[in-house]
């Protein structure tokens, strides 16, 4: 199969619609990362996504709809969730609701819930409006690999396996949406993202992180899987151990390798004599740069050496979660 990367135009959208109606898979830009989409009501098409990614069959997908889509036919929406939709949608917040069982059971892997997202990216909206049906879509990367933030990243993972990548430019958000369990009376964050615990709590009074108890079946199966791993060797150092990272850098250089440091801006400035991928200053910059740098790093480095950024809370909760998992660190704290 030839994989085309096309800009979003009325012609490419008509082609994308044709492909989706024929049960094919189409990759598309969102403001967080690129998605790998299929008709959520077509079981065979949804199963294609799992097969293409090599995704475990118990890790559910998010269904994407445009902002004018009436979600009341798909899910039950507890009254308190309306405020969150008004405030944060369209945007990088995925809300998990009790499902009405309309989409293919493969989307939610048999769970009684369905996660819905309304992306704000104008090209994602144009695609979702063109197809006018829920599109099941995980991030458009091979399972466990770094999530894609450009059409080229998607191409690198799926060239020859999918017919179309709708190119909307770089995904500026950079990390996946916040996943929020809305099935109870208080929202629970299953995955941290750009819509933070603090922002949600400010709207509805309370919001907690979900912590899996030992031996419990995870509420969000994706939490249990290794993720975001670059294909090169990696090492990781705590924020207060930049000196250890530099020793590791010099040792790799001494072995004839090509080490690269991945760190925040202030640390990058202090190590001008090292090869560095600079994550930036603010939490939003670090989120936006993280996956692009991990993908660059895997091509540049024999050993990619991460140094934990110092800041915590807010958007940093999502950045730290992805960074630590990319470097094979346990994120339970
Ligand atoms: P991805 O689309 O690859 O970014 O992954 C989607 C994330 O959302 C995974 O961590 C899933 O486990 C989680 N997710 C999707 N649907 C549900 C659901 N119905 N209940 C709980 N978590 C979900
Ligand atoms: Mg993913």
């Amino acid at each position: 199969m030839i994989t085309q990367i096309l800009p979003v135009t009325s012609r490419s959208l008509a082609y994308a619609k044709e492909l989706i109606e024929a049960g094919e898979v189409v990759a598309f830009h969102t403001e967080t990362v690129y998605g790998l989409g299929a008709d959520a009501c077509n079981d065979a098409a949804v199963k294609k996504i799992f097969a293409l990614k090599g995704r475990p069959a118990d890790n559910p997908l998010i269904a994407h709809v445009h902002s004018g889509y009436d979600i009341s036919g798909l899910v039950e929406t507890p009254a308190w969730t309306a405020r969150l939709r008004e405030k944060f949608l369209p945007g990088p917040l995925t809300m998990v609701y009790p499902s009405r069982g309309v989409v293919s059971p493969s989307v939610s892997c048999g769970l009684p819930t369905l996660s819905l997202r309304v992306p704000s990216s104008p090209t994602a909206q144009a695609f979702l409006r063109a197809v006018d049906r829920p599109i099941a879509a995980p991030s458009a990367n091979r399972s466990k690999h770094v999530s894609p933030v450009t059409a080229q990243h998607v191409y690198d993972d799926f060239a020859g396996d999918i017919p179309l990548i709708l190119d909307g430019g770089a995904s500026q958000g950079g990390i996946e949406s916040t996943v929020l369990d809305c099935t109870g009376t208080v929202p629970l964050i299953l995955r941290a993202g750009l819509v933070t615990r603090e922002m949600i709590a400010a709207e509805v009074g309370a919001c907690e992180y979900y912590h899996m108890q030992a031996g419990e079946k995870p509420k969000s199966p994706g939490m249990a899987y290794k993720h975001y791993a670059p294909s090169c060797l990696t090492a990781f150092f705590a924020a207060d151990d930049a000196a250890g990272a530099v020793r590791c850098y010099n040792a790799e250089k001494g072995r004839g390798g090509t080490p690269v440091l991945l760190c925040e801006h202030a640390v990058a400035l202090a190590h001008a004599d090292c090869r560095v991928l600079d994550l930036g200053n603010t939490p939003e910059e670090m989120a936006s740069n993280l996956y692009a740098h991990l993908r660059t790093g895997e091509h540049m480095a024999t050993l990619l050496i991460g140094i934990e950024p110092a800041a915590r809370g807010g958007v940093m909760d999502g950045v730290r979660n992805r960074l630590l998992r990319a470097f094979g660190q346990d994120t339970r704290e």
Side-chain angles (χ1 to χ4, degrees):
M1 179 184 291
I2 288 176
T3 301
Q4 289 189 298
I5 302 181
L6 299 179
V8 179
T9 62
S10 52
R11 289 182 67 166
S12 65
L13 287 172
Y15 178 43
K17 180 171 193 270
E18 231 173 77
L19 288 168
I20 291 292
E21 285 174 354
E24 283 297 339
V25 168
V26 170
F28 62 102
H29 171 271
T30 81
E31 70 278 15
T32 58
V33 303
Y34 272 71
L36 192 62
D39 181 350
C41 295
N42 179 334
D43 195 53
V46 173
K47 286 190 169 129
K48 250 185 214 173
I49 294 177
F50 283 88
L52 279 165
K53 282 191 59 126
R55 186 175 176 101
D58 66 349
N59 191 5
L61 307 180
I62 296 168
H64 294 65
V65 293
H66 62 79
S67 13
Y69 196 89
D70 178 9
I71 62 168
S72 65
L74 299 176
V75 292
E76 291 165 31
T77 52
W80 63 265
T81 60
R83 191 163 174 81
L84 296 180
R85 284 191 298 279
E86 273 158 34
K87 178 78 184 177
F88 298 115
L89 302 188
L93 174 67
T94 294
M95 298 170 72
V96 180
Y97 303 98
S99 176
R100 295 199 193 279
V102 173
V103 303
S104 145
S106 304
V107 174
S108 298
C109 303
L111 293 172
T113 54
L114 177 65
S115 60
L116 285 182
R117 175 155 136 68
V118 186
S120 62
S121 150
T123 55
Q125 283 284 325
F127 167 59
L128 294 167
R129 264 197 313 273
V131 296
D132 200 24
R133 68 186 69 201
I135 294 292
S139 51
N141 53 280
R142 299 269 178 205
S143 197
K144 299 193 184 70
H145 195 207
V146 181
S147 299
V149 292
T150 65
Q152 179 66 49
H153 292 157
V154 181
Y155 191 84
D156 291 343
D157 279 17
F158 292 112
D161 293 336
I162 60 174
L164 176 62
I165 303 169
L166 287 172
D167 188 352
S171 295
Q172 298 299 333
I175 59 172
E176 299 85 347
S177 59
T178 305
V179 178
L180 191 69
D181 179 20
C182 298
T183 59
T185 49
V186 171
L188 272 181
I189 293 187
L190 304 179
R191 177 174 74 185
L194 294 171
V195 177
T196 65
R197 189 182 71 78
E198 293 84 348
M199 287 158 72
I200 295 166
E203 292 307 316
V204 290
C207 178
E208 298 299 332
Y209 282 111
Y210 167 70
H211 290 288
M212 192 168 53
Q213 306 300 317
E216 188 192 352
K217 194 164 176 272
K219 241 184 191 321
S220 183
M223 298 169 78
Y225 292 113
K226 186 171 156 53
H227 250 85
Y228 322 122
S231 59
C232 58
L233 290 176
T234 60
F236 195 72
F237 289 84
D240 61 0
D241 193 17
V246 172
R247 277 196 300 278
C248 176
Y249 182 99
N250 289 330
E252 177 68 4
K253 216 168 133 188
R255 286 190 290 269
T258 313
V260 175
L261 296 180
L262 177 76
C263 56
E264 63 185 310
H265 185 58
V267 180
L269 286 182
H271 297 94
D273 50 340
C274 294
R275 235 187 228 101
V276 165
L277 287 166
D278 181 350
L279 285 169
N281 260 321
T282 65
E284 288 76 15
E285 278 169 18
M286 292 193 232
S288 184
N289 290 326
L290 179 61
Y291 289 145
H293 280 359
L294 288 171
R295 290 236 177 198
T296 305
E298 69 185 8
H299 293 299
M300 278 172 75
T302 53
L303 178 65
L304 186 62
I305 304 168
I307 305 177
E308 183 184 23
R312 294 194 173 213
V315 169
M316 284 313 290
D317 288 346
V319 173
R320 283 172 49 77
N321 167 276
R322 308 311 194 281
L323 185 68
L324 268 61
R325 289 177 75 166
F327 282 88
Q329 309 290 303
D330 194 337
T331 57
R332 276 168 289 178
E333 295 181 46

